[in-house]
Every structure is written in structure tokens, then in C-alpha cells.
mmCIF file of all heavy atoms in Angstrom:
data_model
loop_
_atom_site.group_PDB
_atom_site.id
_atom_site.type_symbol
_atom_site.label_atom_id
_atom_site.label_comp_id
_atom_site.label_asym_id
_atom_site.label_seq_id
_atom_site.Cartn_x
_atom_site.Cartn_y
_atom_site.Cartn_z
ATOM 1 N N ALA A 858 0.802 -1.206 0.000
ATOM 2 C CA ALA A 858 0.000 0.000 0.000
ATOM 3 C C ALA A 858 0.838 1.261 0.000
ATOM 4 O O ALA A 858 0.378 2.312 -0.380
ATOM 5 C CB ALA A 858 -0.935 0.018 1.211
ATOM 6 N N ASP A 859 2.111 1.172 0.395
ATOM 7 C CA ASP A 859 2.948 2.366 0.428
ATOM 8 C C ASP A 859 4.430 1.990 0.271
ATOM 9 O O ASP A 859 4.832 0.876 0.592
ATOM 10 C CB ASP A 859 2.751 3.133 1.746
ATOM 11 C CG ASP A 859 2.927 2.256 2.974
ATOM 12 O OD1 ASP A 859 3.631 1.211 2.864
ATOM 13 O OD2 ASP A 859 2.379 2.579 4.013
ATOM 14 N N GLY A 860 5.199 2.961 -0.197
ATOM 15 C CA GLY A 860 6.644 2.813 -0.278
ATOM 16 C C GLY A 860 7.117 1.769 -1.271
ATOM 17 O O GLY A 860 6.438 1.395 -2.214
ATOM 18 N N LEU A 861 8.358 1.276 -1.021
ATOM 19 C CA LEU A 861 9.009 0.281 -1.874
ATOM 20 C C LEU A 861 9.158 -1.009 -1.099
ATOM 21 O O LEU A 861 9.259 -1.020 0.131
ATOM 22 C CB LEU A 861 10.378 0.787 -2.321
ATOM 23 C CG LEU A 861 10.397 2.129 -3.068
ATOM 24 C CD1 LEU A 861 11.819 2.553 -3.346
ATOM 25 C CD2 LEU A 861 9.600 2.044 -4.358
ATOM 26 N N GLN A 862 9.216 -2.104 -1.812
ATOM 27 C CA GLN A 862 9.321 -3.405 -1.160
ATOM 28 C C GLN A 862 10.114 -4.366 -2.027
ATOM 29 O O GLN A 862 9.899 -4.453 -3.235
ATOM 30 C CB GLN A 862 7.927 -3.985 -0.892
ATOM 31 C CG GLN A 862 7.959 -5.351 -0.230
ATOM 32 C CD GLN A 862 6.574 -5.882 0.041
ATOM 33 O OE1 GLN A 862 5.576 -5.183 -0.185
ATOM 34 N NE2 GLN A 862 6.494 -7.104 0.532
ATOM 35 N N VAL A 863 11.043 -5.088 -1.393
ATOM 36 C CA VAL A 863 11.771 -6.167 -2.071
ATOM 37 C C VAL A 863 10.865 -7.383 -2.120
ATOM 38 O O VAL A 863 10.254 -7.765 -1.119
ATOM 39 C CB VAL A 863 13.077 -6.497 -1.328
ATOM 40 C CG1 VAL A 863 13.798 -7.652 -2.016
ATOM 41 C CG2 VAL A 863 13.969 -5.276 -1.256
ATOM 42 N N VAL A 864 10.751 -7.992 -3.286
ATOM 43 C CA VAL A 864 9.921 -9.179 -3.444
ATOM 44 C C VAL A 864 10.700 -10.396 -2.951
ATOM 45 O O VAL A 864 11.695 -10.781 -3.572
ATOM 46 C CB VAL A 864 9.481 -9.364 -4.902
ATOM 47 C CG1 VAL A 864 8.647 -10.643 -5.038
ATOM 48 C CG2 VAL A 864 8.705 -8.152 -5.387
ATOM 49 N N PRO A 865 10.276 -11.028 -1.849
ATOM 50 C CA PRO A 865 10.936 -12.256 -1.405
ATOM 51 C C PRO A 865 10.333 -13.466 -2.128
ATOM 52 O O PRO A 865 9.238 -13.396 -2.677
ATOM 53 C CB PRO A 865 10.639 -12.281 0.083
ATOM 54 C CG PRO A 865 9.334 -11.576 0.214
ATOM 55 C CD PRO A 865 9.260 -10.562 -0.891
ATOM 56 N N PHE A 866 11.062 -14.587 -2.099
ATOM 57 C CA PHE A 866 10.611 -15.805 -2.763
ATOM 58 C C PHE A 866 10.616 -16.946 -1.752
ATOM 59 O O PHE A 866 11.383 -16.942 -0.784
ATOM 60 C CB PHE A 866 11.504 -16.119 -3.957
ATOM 61 C CG PHE A 866 11.436 -15.066 -5.050
ATOM 62 C CD1 PHE A 866 12.277 -13.966 -5.033
ATOM 63 C CD2 PHE A 866 10.503 -15.187 -6.065
ATOM 64 C CE1 PHE A 866 12.202 -12.997 -6.022
ATOM 65 C CE2 PHE A 866 10.432 -14.224 -7.064
ATOM 66 C CZ PHE A 866 11.278 -13.128 -7.050
ATOM 67 N N ASP A 867 9.764 -17.932 -2.008
ATOM 68 C CA ASP A 867 9.624 -19.043 -1.064
ATOM 69 C C ASP A 867 9.867 -20.409 -1.692
ATOM 70 O O ASP A 867 9.786 -21.425 -1.018
ATOM 71 C CB ASP A 867 8.235 -19.014 -0.417
ATOM 72 C CG ASP A 867 7.116 -18.976 -1.450
ATOM 73 O OD1 ASP A 867 7.345 -19.424 -2.603
ATOM 74 O OD2 ASP A 867 6.024 -18.478 -1.129
ATOM 75 N N THR A 868 10.134 -20.454 -2.996
ATOM 76 C CA THR A 868 10.312 -21.732 -3.693
ATOM 77 C C THR A 868 11.623 -21.689 -4.475
ATOM 78 O O THR A 868 11.847 -20.771 -5.279
ATOM 79 C CB THR A 868 9.146 -22.008 -4.645
ATOM 80 O OG1 THR A 868 7.921 -21.996 -3.912
ATOM 81 C CG2 THR A 868 9.325 -23.352 -5.334
ATOM 82 N N GLU A 869 12.446 -22.687 -4.237
ATOM 83 C CA GLU A 869 13.737 -22.785 -4.950
ATOM 84 C C GLU A 869 13.655 -23.882 -5.992
ATOM 85 O O GLU A 869 13.426 -25.054 -5.655
ATOM 86 C CB GLU A 869 14.858 -23.069 -3.950
ATOM 87 C CG GLU A 869 16.239 -23.166 -4.579
ATOM 88 C CD GLU A 869 17.314 -23.483 -3.552
ATOM 89 O OE1 GLU A 869 17.647 -22.600 -2.746
ATOM 90 O OE2 GLU A 869 17.807 -24.642 -3.537
ATOM 91 N N LEU A 870 13.848 -23.532 -7.251
ATOM 92 C CA LEU A 870 13.849 -24.504 -8.344
ATOM 93 C C LEU A 870 15.274 -24.878 -8.736
ATOM 94 O O LEU A 870 15.622 -26.062 -8.827
ATOM 95 C CB LEU A 870 13.103 -23.931 -9.553
ATOM 96 C CG LEU A 870 11.642 -23.530 -9.288
ATOM 97 C CD1 LEU A 870 11.041 -22.872 -10.514
ATOM 98 C CD2 LEU A 870 10.827 -24.736 -8.858
ATOM 99 N N VAL A 871 16.113 -23.894 -9.014
ATOM 100 C CA VAL A 871 17.533 -24.089 -9.304
ATOM 101 C C VAL A 871 18.303 -22.996 -8.576
ATOM 102 O O VAL A 871 17.942 -21.818 -8.661
ATOM 103 C CB VAL A 871 17.827 -24.010 -10.826
ATOM 104 C CG1 VAL A 871 19.331 -24.090 -11.087
ATOM 105 C CG2 VAL A 871 17.102 -25.121 -11.575
ATOM 106 N N ASN A 872 19.367 -23.413 -7.878
ATOM 107 C CA ASN A 872 20.179 -22.429 -7.148
ATOM 108 C C ASN A 872 21.616 -22.960 -7.056
ATOM 109 O O ASN A 872 22.028 -23.519 -6.031
ATOM 110 C CB ASN A 872 19.592 -22.179 -5.759
ATOM 111 C CG ASN A 872 20.244 -20.987 -5.072
ATOM 112 O OD1 ASN A 872 20.999 -20.244 -5.687
ATOM 113 N ND2 ASN A 872 19.940 -20.814 -3.786
ATOM 114 N N LEU A 873 22.381 -22.796 -8.157
ATOM 115 C CA LEU A 873 23.752 -23.308 -8.187
ATOM 116 C C LEU A 873 24.622 -22.561 -7.179
ATOM 117 O O LEU A 873 24.622 -21.325 -7.141
ATOM 118 C CB LEU A 873 24.348 -23.154 -9.596
ATOM 119 C CG LEU A 873 23.655 -23.940 -10.723
ATOM 120 C CD1 LEU A 873 24.410 -23.736 -12.038
ATOM 121 C CD2 LEU A 873 23.549 -25.412 -10.388
ATOM 122 N N ASP A 874 25.335 -23.329 -6.392
ATOM 123 C CA ASP A 874 26.269 -22.801 -5.398
ATOM 124 C C ASP A 874 25.579 -21.922 -4.356
ATOM 125 O O ASP A 874 26.243 -21.156 -3.641
ATOM 126 C CB ASP A 874 27.401 -22.000 -6.060
ATOM 127 C CG ASP A 874 28.209 -22.849 -7.025
ATOM 128 O OD1 ASP A 874 28.373 -24.055 -6.753
ATOM 129 O OD2 ASP A 874 28.664 -22.312 -8.051
ATOM 130 N N GLY A 875 24.229 -22.021 -4.262
ATOM 131 C CA GLY A 875 23.501 -21.254 -3.245
ATOM 132 C C GLY A 875 23.660 -19.759 -3.399
ATOM 133 O O GLY A 875 23.654 -19.016 -2.411
ATOM 134 N N ALA A 876 23.804 -19.276 -4.646
ATOM 135 C CA ALA A 876 24.055 -17.849 -4.871
ATOM 136 C C ALA A 876 22.807 -16.992 -4.678
ATOM 137 O O ALA A 876 22.921 -15.767 -4.536
ATOM 138 C CB ALA A 876 24.607 -17.629 -6.286
ATOM 139 N N PHE A 877 21.606 -17.603 -4.637
ATOM 140 C CA PHE A 877 20.371 -16.824 -4.457
ATOM 141 C C PHE A 877 19.869 -16.998 -3.025
ATOM 142 O O PHE A 877 19.685 -18.110 -2.536
ATOM 143 C CB PHE A 877 19.294 -17.276 -5.441
ATOM 144 C CG PHE A 877 18.170 -16.296 -5.586
ATOM 145 C CD1 PHE A 877 18.155 -15.384 -6.612
ATOM 146 C CD2 PHE A 877 17.117 -16.266 -4.664
ATOM 147 C CE1 PHE A 877 17.132 -14.468 -6.751
ATOM 148 C CE2 PHE A 877 16.097 -15.353 -4.779
ATOM 149 C CZ PHE A 877 16.105 -14.451 -5.836
ATOM 150 N N ASP A 878 19.644 -15.873 -2.369
ATOM 151 C CA ASP A 878 19.117 -15.853 -0.998
ATOM 152 C C ASP A 878 17.601 -15.676 -1.081
ATOM 153 O O ASP A 878 17.112 -14.591 -1.445
ATOM 154 C CB ASP A 878 19.759 -14.712 -0.221
ATOM 155 C CG ASP A 878 19.406 -14.738 1.262
ATOM 156 O OD1 ASP A 878 18.433 -15.439 1.630
ATOM 157 O OD2 ASP A 878 20.089 -14.046 2.044
ATOM 158 N N LEU A 879 16.835 -16.738 -0.775
ATOM 159 C CA LEU A 879 15.381 -16.681 -0.907
ATOM 160 C C LEU A 879 14.763 -15.627 0.010
ATOM 161 O O LEU A 879 13.891 -14.848 -0.402
ATOM 162 C CB LEU A 879 14.770 -18.048 -0.595
ATOM 163 C CG LEU A 879 15.000 -19.156 -1.629
ATOM 164 C CD1 LEU A 879 14.400 -20.462 -1.125
ATOM 165 C CD2 LEU A 879 14.387 -18.781 -2.955
ATOM 166 N N ALA A 880 15.189 -15.602 1.262
ATOM 167 C CA ALA A 880 14.577 -14.670 2.217
ATOM 168 C C ALA A 880 14.855 -13.220 1.842
ATOM 169 O O ALA A 880 13.975 -12.353 1.936
ATOM 170 C CB ALA A 880 15.086 -14.971 3.626
ATOM 171 N N ALA A 881 16.073 -12.934 1.422
ATOM 172 C CA ALA A 881 16.419 -11.569 1.031
ATOM 173 C C ALA A 881 15.966 -11.252 -0.389
ATOM 174 O O ALA A 881 15.901 -10.077 -0.780
ATOM 175 C CB ALA A 881 17.921 -11.351 1.156
ATOM 176 N N GLY A 882 15.639 -12.295 -1.177
ATOM 177 C CA GLY A 882 15.182 -12.096 -2.547
ATOM 178 C C GLY A 882 16.267 -11.589 -3.489
ATOM 179 O O GLY A 882 15.957 -10.903 -4.477
#
């Protein structure tokens, strides 16, 4: 409803070497 927001993700399909942080998006 206001401001800016980082979109977080909850499903990991491919993540080589764990380079993607789901919680931080």
C-alpha cells in the first residue's frame, strides 16, 4: 500500500552454489 518493497521468494527450483538468498530475494 505504500513505499518500496523487495519481493521475497519461497520456492527454490535451481540455485547453483547457493548464490540466491530466498529470504532476502
